[in-house]
Amino acid sequence: MSSFKSQKPTILQWLQKNLFNNWYNSILTVVCLWLLFFGIKGVLTWVLTQAKWQVITANLSLFFVGRFPQQLYWRLWLSLFIILALTGLSWGTFTKRLPRQMNSWLPLGWALSFPIILWLIGGGFGLQPVESNLWNGLLLTLVMAVISIVLSFPLGVLLALGRQSQLPVVRWFSILYIEIIRGLPLIGVLFFAQVMLSLFLPVEYRLDRVLRGIAGLIFFSAAYLAENVRGGLQSIPRGQIEAAKVLGLNAPLTVLLIVLPQALRAVIPALVGQFIGLFKDTSLLSIVGLLELTGISRAILAQPQFIARYAEVYLFIAFIYWVFCYSMSLASRRLEKELGVGQR
């Protein structure tokens, strides 16, 4: 047996093989490099010499927390600390750097953190109340995105299960809901939630604009999540369901213990893609008068000293959206790797 080991090609060999292997690829490489050079040079020149970043630095608090009372910022910092602490603990147990025994407590911690954080932000029960119309900027975007994701996910799972139900009433209700909502644009659903939702509730129950916006996002996202989950349910071999019945499991236990975990594991990329889309869709709430990240940006651009600074403002909020969306994508890829999605 030969002991020869293939050597890793040098940089020059790689360039010659992939970029300059013939005359027309060489010309194409030179042209692309020339365009990239002048493109990057123009962007850097604008960023470093022409852009007026005072519009960002002067309104940084508005971008992040809007008109939230400054004397109550400590509540936001405490909420952020709770989220970062739970995220660090979850990441530590997931990467096996912390004891696995903590996995039994972390779901409870996350479940309790949501009402605690909402209590800190909104007040009440001993804390000074803060009206929802003062929740603006990135704060409102995150609140609406997180609540919509957390509530639309179980609703979407129930609709997916309902669409495959043997009960005609449940099946046809699920099918009608999914097909009707998926046939409507999101902006139409948001307007419906803002204008019509209150008409279906008793007079004494008046939802504010934030809750109506969240309801619109939940109704819309649940229909798309249901179809993603249904695809996962259909990927489970019929033999596993029959084997579960042989073992004596009834229908609910078969779904909860056998079918649903495998189905959700198979559609992790689609689910995370839907969550990322939902996070970005919160920007449409500015059309219905909510000052989330995009809406507060429009308000900032209306300031006389910062009129027409569109490039700086929209580039900044685009960077914020990218950071959160890429973080979700990165966490999804790590989860897929740990669970072996597509490998076993």
Side-chain angles (χ1 to χ4, degrees), residues 12 25 36-37 42 84 128 140 168 170 207 215 254 260 284 338:
L12 290 177
N25 277 342
L36 283 173
F37 172 76
L84 292 178
Q128 177 183 341
L140 181 59
V170 176
L207 299 178
T254 300
L260 200 55
L284 291 175
E338 291 292 329

Side-chain angles (χ1 to χ4, degrees), residues 220-260:
F220 184 83
S221 181
Y224 284 86
L225 286 172
E227 287 298 277
N228 292 333
V229 175
R230 185 171 69 92
L233 294 173
Q234 292 179 340
S235 69
I236 306 302
R238 184 69 185 176
Q240 296 199 20
I241 301 176
E242 295 174 354
K245 292 180 179 178
V246 171
L247 293 174
L249 295 178
N250 55 25
L253 288 178
T254 300
V255 172
L256 290 175
L257 301 179
I258 305 297
V259 177
L260 200 55

Side-chain angles (χ1 to χ4, degrees), residues 26-77:
S26 300
I27 294 176
L28 185 61
T29 298
V30 172
V31 171
C32 290
L33 290 175
W34 181 80
L35 292 175
L36 283 173
F37 172 76
F38 282 97
I40 295 174
K41 179 183 176 182
V43 171
L44 290 178
T45 300
W46 176 82
V47 168
L48 298 176
T49 62
Q50 300 176 12
K52 306 297 183 182
W53 296 111
Q54 293 85 352
V55 63
I56 306 300
T57 56
N59 297 284
L60 204 57
S61 61
L62 285 177
F63 279 111
F64 287 112
V65 298
R67 296 175 296 164
F68 198 88
Q70 189 172 4
Q71 67 273 17
L72 301 179
Y73 279 1
W74 66 270
R75 284 152 59 167
L76 301 180
W77 286 112

